[in-house]
Amino acid sequence: MYQSSYPGELCEINDETLLALFQQGNAPAFDELYKRFWGGLYLHACRMLEQEQDAQDVVQEVFTTIYTKAGSIVLSGTLSAYLYTAVRNRVLNVIAHKRTYRQHLDSLQQFLSTADHSLLHRITEKEMIARIEKEIALLPAKMREVFELSRKTTLSHKEIASRLQLSQETVKKQISNAIRTLRHKMSHFPLLF
């Protein structure tokens, strides 16, 4: 394995030899490759992308891949050609991803602008009812029984008390506690209570 006596010697080595040195474990060789190519690759990515941050991310991803997969890199041409092709391919992936994202966003905006708002309201209402039913099911057994009788039947407090052999005051208190509990649990639906 080549060991440089000082990092300045790496400046004089060609690109492919630097890659080979890095593949053999010479970390300064990678640093030299990074210094040689980062600026040019960044400009190359900037020409194709709208955002400088995206260009920086693309170049960083290419160098990260080289760093992590150095042993599996086999060049069929020059290292320079390999790097520029890798940047171009990643840029195309970024562009395709953004295009797809924009298409989905446009589609969603079109749907929302043309959607039947009463349908959206019914969906929201249905979700809200399901959530209320779930929260009612989580109430303590006696409280749930009293609450359901008061809300799902036409029984008065007196009739519920008689049916469950409770005092009328207990029925009122159980209903009040149930409503307070449900209000707390359903606070993200402010128009409900």
Side-chain angles (χ1 to χ4, degrees):
M1 175 165 67
Y2 175 84
Q3 289 295 327
S4 172
S5 56
Y6 74 99
E9 288 181 19
L10 293 175
C11 296
E12 300 168 11
I13 298 174
N14 71 36
D15 304 334
E16 291 72 22
T17 304
L18 275 175
L19 178 61
L21 287 172
F22 174 64
Q23 290 173 323
Q24 295 169 9
N26 185 316
F30 178 80
D31 295 339
E32 180 61 28
L33 286 172
Y34 187 87
K35 283 190 267 182
R36 280 187 194 181
F37 286 101
W38 193 92
L41 293 172
Y42 170 73
L43 291 174
H44 182 61
C46 275
R47 286 187 201 109
M48 294 184 279
L49 292 169
E50 298 170 2
Q51 300 287 328
E52 288 182 14
Q53 185 60 49
D54 288 342
Q56 288 177 2
D57 291 346
V58 163
V59 175
Q60 281 304 121
E61 287 174 22
V62 168
F63 277 109
T64 300
T65 300
I66 288 171
Y67 192 83
T68 57
K69 298 183 179 182
S72 63
I73 296 174
V74 178
L75 299 178
S76 59
T78 65
L79 178 61
S80 176
Y82 175 86
L83 292 172
Y84 279 89
T85 300
V87 166
R88 184 197 69 219
N89 290 341
R90 289 193 190 271
V91 164
L92 293 175
N93 287 343
V94 168
I95 291 170
H97 176 74
K98 283 187 175 191
R99 185 176 300 133
T100 302
Y101 174 77
R102 283 188 195 122
Q103 287 170 344
H104 288 308
L105 191 58
D106 291 345
S107 175
L108 179 60
Q109 286 174 338
Q110 182 180 3
F111 170 75
L112 290 176
S113 67
T114 61
D116 178 0
H117 291 288
S118 63
L119 173 64
L120 292 174
H121 179 71
R122 284 193 303 268
I123 290 170
T124 303
E125 184 178 346
K126 185 177 177 181
E127 290 173 353
M128 194 167 37
I129 290 169
R131 177 66 192 266
I132 291 170
E133 291 298 326
K134 179 182 174 191
E135 293 301 334
I136 289 172
L138 295 174
L139 291 172
K142 187 55 80 175
M143 184 185 295
R144 181 178 66 244
E145 185 179 18
V146 170
F147 183 78
E148 286 180 335
L149 284 173
S150 77
R151 295 300 185 244
K152 295 181 178 179
T153 67
T154 57
L155 298 175
S156 67
H157 289 183
K158 184 177 182 180
E159 292 168 323
I160 294 170
S162 174
R163 181 183 277 190
L164 299 177
Q165 298 177 348
L166 299 170
S167 72
Q168 206 171 334
E169 190 59 37
T170 300
V171 169
K172 287 180 186 178
K173 188 173 184 177
Q174 291 285 14
I175 292 170
S176 176
N177 289 343
I179 290 172
R180 188 175 327 115
T181 300
L182 292 173
R183 274 189 183 143
H184 175 71
K185 299 270 185 167
M186 301 299 293
S187 60
H188 64 281
F189 288 113
L191 299 177
L192 185 60
F193 292 104

